Amino acid sequence: MAQATRITVEATVNAPVAKVWKVWNTPSDIMQWNTPDPSWHSPSSENDLRVGGKFKNRMEAKDGSFGFDFEGVYDTVALHKEIAYTMGDGRKATTLFTEQNGKTNIETTFDAETENDPEFQKQGWQAILNNFVKYVESTNS
């Protein structure tokens, strides 16, 4: 089997890591930010944040033309530091959280899938991450 292409996306949130972690992992919040653009939405989210726990986030085009479940099982959960998981198709992803001066850097590295161009995948994941940053910075929770 060919070595998977690894893709990294990152962003800095103007918020402390405790808030970033909470919003990243709370299903009611995930449903608000987990979209690449306004034509998509995330109508459901389940998250059992523990090693061996599962997550499942539904993503759908608002016009109903397409939808899928993004799901996986957690391999690593280190509070306020790292989350790693294996997706349903066996690909892996790791997200690192680093707080500095009240801001939090989020860096996700994931195995690319083979159906879509890696640059397209990077843009999609980066758009979702950028949406997350906007959402966190606009909430007071």
Side-chain angles (χ1 to χ4, degrees):
M1 191 169 133
Q3 178 68 28
T5 299
R6 307 275 294 154
I7 297 172
T8 299
V9 295
E10 72 179 301
T12 299
V13 188
N14 189 11
V17 72
K19 177 180 180 179
V20 168
W21 182 272
K22 177 178 172 273
V23 175
W24 187 267
N25 292 299
T26 302
S28 58
D29 288 316
I30 293 168
M31 289 166 55
Q32 300 302 313
W33 62 260
N34 189 35
T35 62
D37 69 61
S39 68
W40 283 77
H41 67 145
S42 213
S44 67
S45 174
E46 301 165 27
N47 194 20
D48 181 10
L49 186 65
R50 61 183 174 83
V51 173
K54 295 180 178 161
F55 67 88
K56 180 163 86 172
N57 299 314
R58 180 74 186 164
M59 295 181 80
E60 294 178 358
K62 286 183 179 174
D63 66 7
S65 63
F66 187 74
F68 63 94
D69 290 329
F70 182 74
E71 54 193 319
V73 176
Y74 291 109
D75 302 314
T76 305
V77 176
L79 184 66
H80 297 168
K81 302 228 177 298
E82 178 182 357
I83 296 173
Y85 57 88
T86 301
M87 294 173 247
D89 60 7
R91 294 180 300 130
K92 304 252 184 199
T94 302
T95 300
L96 302 175
F97 301 82
T98 312
E99 184 177 345
Q100 191 169 8
N101 302 323
K103 295 183 178 193
T104 304
N105 188 70
I106 303 167
E107 179 183 294
T108 298
T109 301
F110 64 96
D111 294 335
E113 39 94 348
T114 54
E115 290 175 29
N116 294 295
D117 178 62
E119 186 56 35
F120 176 76
Q121 294 176 64
K122 181 174 184 168
Q123 289 170 0
W125 284 55
Q126 185 69 54
I128 292 169
L129 187 55
N130 293 346
N131 207 31
F132 173 79
V133 171
K134 277 189 242 157
Y135 178 73
V136 172
E137 292 180 351
S138 72
T139 61
N140 295 319
S141 55

